[in-house]
Amino acid sequence: MMYDPMLVQPMREELTRLGFEELRTPQAVDAVLGRETATTLVVVNSVCGCAARNARPATRLALEHEVRPRRLLTVFAGQDAEATAQARSYFAPYPPSSPQIALFHDGKLVFMLERRQIEGRQAQEIARDLTAAFDRFCATT
């Protein structure tokens, strides 16, 4: 289902205000995920309540942490379907979910939060999971 772009815009801006780059085409996804070696966080954003209540607030909290990924990317499920499908192709073996938060290090998927790990949890708990992954994979040695 494609949502009204006017409805979705504030949900997009909740991440772009934090410095996320939107990937709106499969080519844009491949240009980054197929080549990037810096630590990269990819958020599959959506209109669902658990994205609004849990995933986006948790991401905001986690990015206040001193250790964080160098690149911040997002795709929007239900709006940019082809870009979202292409981003998810890099998430194997994890099945598609919305929302979904992936961390890449040296071009490899190293951490994933699926909807089942987001839905029904407090943003602070999810942020702790993210910051633990940031400490493990994003810290410079």
Side-chain angles (χ1 to χ4, degrees), residues 1-2 6 10-11 15 23 31 34 37 39 41 50 52 56 58 63 71 74 80 96 105 118 135 138 140:
M1 172 180 198
M2 291 298 185
M6 297 293 286
M11 298 170 205
L15 292 178
L23 302 176
T37 59
T39 53
L41 188 68
C50 62
R56 291 191 302 265
L63 291 176
R71 295 281 311 258
T74 184
D80 300 321
H105 177 74
I118 295 169
D135 286 340
C138 302
T140 57

Side-chain angles (χ1 to χ4, degrees), residues 1-88:
M1 172 180 198
M2 291 298 185
Y3 294 97
D4 180 337
M6 297 293 286
L7 170 78
V8 170
Q9 193 58 37
M11 298 170 205
R12 289 181 182 276
E13 290 172 356
E14 201 169 339
L15 292 178
T16 58
R17 277 194 307 272
L18 298 174
F20 279 82
E21 175 187 350
E22 285 191 296
L23 302 176
R24 305 207 50 189
T25 67
Q27 296 80 10
V29 170
D30 287 339
V32 180
L33 290 183
R35 299 186 176 110
E36 184 62 71
T37 59
T39 53
T40 303
L41 188 68
V42 182
V43 175
V44 176
N45 200 355
S46 92
V47 299
C48 71
C50 62
R53 263 187 321 276
N54 309 87
R56 291 191 302 265
T59 301
R60 180 183 44 76
L61 289 170
L63 291 176
E64 293 173 2
H65 191 59
E66 125 183 6
V67 176
R68 53 184 275 180
R70 288 194 55 212
R71 295 281 311 258
L72 304 173
L73 307 173
T74 184
V75 294
F76 205 105
Q79 188 71 45
D80 300 321
E82 292 174 355
T84 301
Q86 190 63 22
R88 287 174 171 155

Side-chain angles (χ1 to χ4, degrees), residues 76-141:
F76 205 105
Q79 188 71 45
D80 300 321
E82 292 174 355
T84 301
Q86 190 63 22
R88 287 174 171 155
S89 75
Y90 289 90
F91 297 172
Y94 297 94
S97 74
S98 296
Q100 195 167 22
I101 304 172
L103 181 65
F104 290 82
H105 177 74
D106 288 332
K108 294 177 178 61
L109 179 65
V110 294
F111 179 79
M112 176 65 73
L113 282 175
E114 300 172 89
R115 179 184 180 113
R116 65 183 176 81
Q117 297 162 304
I118 295 169
E119 190 173 32
R121 294 179 67 209
Q122 296 295 315
Q124 293 83 357
E125 294 174 282
I126 300 161
R128 278 193 295 276
D129 291 347
L130 288 170
T131 58
F134 296 172
D135 286 340
R136 181 171 177 199
F137 297 108
C138 302
T140 57
T141 54

